[in-house]
Amino acid sequence: MFTRLAMTAVLLAATPALAQEPARESSAFTLRSDQPRAPEQEAVTFDLADLAIRVLPETKSIDAVATLTFTATAPVERLVVELDGRFTISGVQVDGAEVPPDAWANPDGRLSVEIGRTLVPGQSAVLRVAYSGLPRVAPQAPWDGGFVWSTAPSGEPWIATAVQGEGCDLFWPCIDSALAEVKRVDLHITVPSALSAPSNGRFLGIVDHGDGWTTWNWSARDINPYAIALNIGPYAKVEATYSSRFGNAFPMEYWHLKSDDPAKVAALFAQFAPMLDFFEATVGPYPFADEKMGVVETPHLGMEHQTINAYGNGYRIDLRGYDWLLQHELAHEWFGNQMTNANADDFWLHEGLGTYMQPLYAGWLNGDRYMQVELGKLHADLANRYPVVSGQPRSAGSYLDDAGPGNDIYFKGALTAHTLRMLIGDEAFFRSITTLVYGRPDPAPGNFTTVRRSTQDFIDIVEAETGRELDWLFRGYLMNAALPVLNQSREGDRLALSWTTGDGAPFPMPIEVSVDGVVTTLPMTDGRGEIAVRPHAHVLIDPDNKVLRRLDLIETYRNRSN
C-alpha cells in the first residue's frame, strides 16, 4: 500500500499540462447539494472513493487524484460525478486508459465522462480524475461552507473543510447526494510534516516522504459524501478505550491544538464516555465502533463529520452542565450518519431528533427541571414561518433560504418529538426511534448497517409500533407553518376547548386540564372537549407542558423581541 501511496505523491507533484481552464467562481449548481441525480448516477453504486489530496497552505490550494469505483445497476455508457469548476482537471482515465479531452466535459460542475463501452448490470468501472486549484473559501463555515484557512495560536496553519450545505464536490469528485453514500473511502492526505491530518474512519498509518511532506492514511465505510472531511493543524491527541454497555469496546480520540489548556482538554474529554453511554442507553449501540469515536478541534463552530466530528466551541461552559456542541454533533452519528435522510426535505430527522437528545440528556444528567428549561428555550425560538416538511424534494441548505424553515428543523422538530413521546409513552417512542435509526428494534454490534429514512418512514414506524393512526400529528406540526391553536371558551360552569391547525385538518390531540390541582385528560377525539369548572376555580391547561401549541406569552415575547 505504501508503495502505491508514494507513487501517488509523485503523480501529484508532476501534474500534466492543464486540459481545461477552471471557472472563476463556483457555479450555482455546485453550491447546491442533494439536487436530482443524473440518470447515469442513479444507474450505479458508489463502491470506493480513493482520494489522494495534497494540501498546500502557502497557496491555499490543493493538488489531488481521485480514483472512484462504480458498479452498474442498469446499462450505462458514461460516468457522471460533480466537481467544482474552480478546479483545473489535468487528466481523466477510465480503467487505466486516458480519456481524450473531447470525451469528457465539466459544464457547471457536473463532470461527464464517456466510458467507451456500455456497462451492464454487475460490471464495474474505475474513474480517475487528476485535478488542482484553489478550492472555495467558506464565507461563514459551517453555514456557508468550503475550506477554512486559519492560523493556530502557535502560528501554524490550521485548516478544515465544512461542506454540508454545498456538498462534497467543493473539494473532491463525487455524486453529490445523500442517496449516493460511499461504501468505502480511502483518504491519503499529504500535508507539511510539522502538521497532523486526522480524518474519518480507521487510521492506516503515515508515510514521511523525507522532503518536508507527510501523507496521513485513513479508511471509512458507509459514509455520506459531505461527511468526508479534511482537518489539518498542529494537533495533539488524547485517547482512551470506551467499554460499551453492549459488550464491545472501541477507541475515543480527541485531536486538539497543542497550545490548548490541558485542564480544559481533560474536562472536555471526560464528557465523551457519559455522552456515549446516554446515546447507547437511549437510542442504541454506537454505529461505528469498528472504527472510532473521534472529535477534532476546528477553526469553525462544528459539523457532524462521521467518526471525526468537528468541534469549535472553545470549551465554553454554560448552565447546561455539558458541552452542547459536542453533544449535538455526537448525536449525528446516529441521526445523520447511521440513519440518513432520504431527501433534504426530511432533514428534521437529523436535526430535530438530534436536537431533542439535548433536553433528554439534560434530564439524564440533572433531572426534569433542566430538561424543561431547554424545551422552553426551544419553544421561545420558533419562527413558524414555513413548514418543516414541504412534501417536495429540496436541496441541502434550502432550509436556510428566505422560503425555508430555518432553525425550525431543529427546534420544532425536537418539540414535535417531545409531544409524540408524551402522547405514545416512553416505550413506544424509544422503540420507534431505535427502529428508525437501525432498521430493527433490537440492534447489537454487528447486526445492522446504515439506513436511509423519510418522514413517512418514521410515521409508518410509529403507527406500527402503537397501532394508532398518527399522521395528523406530523401533519399538524411539521407540514404546517403555524402551530396548532387551542381555542378556549367558557359558558357557566363549562370550559370548552377546540383545536385549530394551519390547514384546518382534524387534530385529535388529547389535552390535560388541571382544575384546582385535579388533572383530567380530555380525549379531544374530534378536536373538541369540555370540562366542568366551578366559579373561581384555578384552571391550568397542559400543566406539565406536554403538548406543543401556540402560546400567547411566547408570541408576546417574540413580538417585543423583534
Side-chain angles (χ1 to χ4, degrees):
M1 180 184 71
F2 291 151
T3 300
R4 180 174 62 82
L5 295 176
M7 181 59 70
T8 298
V10 172
L11 291 172
L12 289 175
T15 305
L18 303 182
Q20 213 178 49
E21 287 299 317
R24 289 190 176 187
E25 297 294 336
S26 305
S27 69
F29 173 80
T30 293
L31 295 179
R32 288 285 192 182
S33 188
D34 267 343
Q35 297 192 87
R37 290 176 293 166
E40 296 87 350
Q41 294 174 327
E42 294 181 339
V44 297
T45 59
F46 199 166
D47 303 321
L48 172 65
D50 187 282
L51 307 178
I53 303 174
R54 181 188 291 266
V55 180
L56 299 99
E58 288 191 5
T59 56
K60 297 182 179 179
S61 63
I62 64 173
D63 197 356
V65 173
T67 306
L68 315 174
T69 303
F70 301 97
T71 298
T73 57
V76 64
E77 297 180 349
R78 62 182 60 84
L79 297 175
V80 178
V81 294
E82 278 77 57
L83 180 64
D84 195 343
R86 295 172 62 97
F87 295 113
T88 297
I89 297 175
S90 57
V92 177
Q93 296 179 358
V94 173
D95 294 333
E98 199 71 28
V99 179
D102 63 354
W104 63 269
N106 192 30
D108 292 326
R110 175 163 272 178
L111 174 62
S112 179
V113 181
E114 299 292 336
I115 301 174
R117 60 190 173 98
T118 298
L119 284 183
V120 299
Q123 287 187 327
S124 297
V126 178
L127 172 65
R128 180 185 182 277
V129 182
Y131 61 102
S132 60
L134 303 173
R136 182 180 195 250
V137 176
Q140 189 183 14
W143 303 278
D144 196 351
F147 265 67
V148 180
W149 304 91
S150 187
T151 302
S154 51
E156 299 93 337
W158 188 19
I159 303 161
T161 58
V163 297
Q164 182 180 34
E166 299 74 23
C168 47
D169 51 338
L170 287 193
F171 72 97
W172 66 279
C174 59
I175 299 177
D176 186 17
S177 168
L179 297 176
E181 192 168 87
V182 189
K183 292 183 180 179
R184 194 178 95 224
V185 58
D186 292 340
L187 287 156
H188 319 293
I189 308 163
T190 302
V191 300
S193 295
L195 304 177
S196 300
S199 194
N200 309 90
R202 295 179 296 113
F203 181 49
L204 301 182
I206 63 173
V207 178
D208 189 336
H209 302 290
D211 57 359
W213 293 89
T214 295
T215 299
W216 291 65
N217 303 294
W218 302 85
S219 183
R221 63 165 177 85
D222 300 318
I223 188 166
N224 195 302
Y226 82 79
I228 296 169
L230 305 182
N231 305 281
I232 299 155
Y235 289 118
K237 179 179 68 170
V238 292
E239 59 186 329
T241 298
Y242 176 76
S243 296
S244 167
R245 61 173 55 219
F246 288 91
N248 60 330
F250 51 89
M252 301 182 297
E253 299 178 1
Y254 176 42
W255 296 78
H256 62 90
L257 293 178
K258 293 178 180 178
S259 57
D260 286 353
D261 181 345
K264 292 182 178 179
V265 170
L268 186 74
F269 190 64
Q271 297 189 43
F272 282 31
M275 287 184 183
L276 280 167
D277 188 47
F278 162 77
F279 282 111
E280 290 204 321
T282 303
V283 185
Y286 178 67
F288 306 103
D290 56 328
E291 297 180 350
K292 68 178 184 297
M293 179 274 195
V295 178
V296 61
E297 189 175 4
T298 56
H300 64 85
L301 182 61
M303 181 59 65
E304 61 270 22
H305 296 145
Q306 186 170 306
T307 70
I308 191 69
N309 284 326
Y311 171 81
N313 201 33
Y315 305 102
R316 292 180 178 88
I317 297 174
D318 59 26
L319 287 174
R320 289 180 173 90
Y322 64 93
D323 191 299
W324 71 269
L325 182 76
L326 180 70
Q327 204 266 3
H328 180 77
E329 303 305 349
L330 181 57
H332 283 308
E333 298 286 28
W334 287 263
F335 304 100
N337 297 337
Q338 164 60 29
M339 179 275 296
T340 302
N341 56 227
N343 179 263
D345 196 44
D346 306 301
F347 205 35
W348 80 276
L349 295 175
H350 292 197
E351 301 296 356
L353 296 179
T355 297
Y356 187 45
M357 294 299 110
Q358 294 191 241
L360 288 179
Y361 189 53
W364 170 281
L365 288 177
N366 298 305
D368 187 69
R369 174 191 295 179
Y370 292 87
M371 181 186 75
Q372 292 295 344
V373 166
E374 293 208 23
L375 290 170
K377 181 66 166 60
L378 295 176
H379 196 167
D381 288 339
L382 291 180
N384 302 316
R385 290 193 298 267
Y386 295 97
V388 169
V389 178
S390 69
Q392 301 295 322
R394 300 180 70 96
S395 62
S398 62
Y399 58 90
L400 294 175
D401 290 348
D402 290 341
N407 284 333
D408 279 4
I409 64 167
Y410 298 80
F411 307 152
K412 189 179 283 186
L415 292 166
T416 297
H418 182 68
T419 297
L420 175 65
R421 178 182 154 224
M422 295 297 100
L423 177 66
I424 67 176
D426 281 4
E427 183 177 356
F429 176 80
F430 288 114
R431 280 177 59 88
S432 296
I433 291 293
T434 297
T435 303
L436 174 78
V437 169
Y438 298 96
R440 58 190 302 164
D442 59 344
N447 75 354
F448 60 88
T449 187
T450 54
V451 298
R452 188 167 288 110
R453 298 297 200 190
S454 67
T455 300
Q456 188 60 51
D457 289 335
F458 189 37
I459 296 172
D460 292 344
I461 289 168
V462 172
E463 291 185 339
E465 181 64 38
T466 61
R468 300 164 65 177
E469 191 277 313
L470 292 168
D471 181 76
W472 57 269
L473 182 148
F474 294 90
R475 185 180 64 248
Y477 287 126
L478 300 177
M479 301 169 194
N480 283 279
L483 289 176
V485 175
L486 185 61
N487 308 293
Q488 305 178 40
S489 63
R490 190 165 175 175
E491 292 186 12
D493 63 351
R494 306 298 296 176
L495 173 64
L497 303 175
S498 64
W499 285 110
T500 301
T501 60
D503 60 2
F507 194 72
M509 175 65 73
I511 195 77
E512 292 180 350
V513 180
S514 171
V515 179
D516 286 334
V518 177
V519 177
T520 301
T521 300
L522 300 185
M524 307 290 285
T525 305
D526 60 353
R528 298 176 178 276
E530 286 191 359
I531 189 171
V533 177
R534 297 182 300 277
H536 308 297
H538 176 244
V539 177
L540 185 59
I541 307 295
D542 190 25
D544 293 324
N545 299 288
K546 294 182 178 179
V547 178
L548 176 61
R549 60 191 173 100
R550 186 187 187 279
L551 294 176
D552 289 342
L553 69 95
I554 289 179
E555 295 302 313
T556 300
Y557 162 79
R558 291 183 66 251
N559 291 335
R560 289 179 178 175
S561 299
N562 293 335

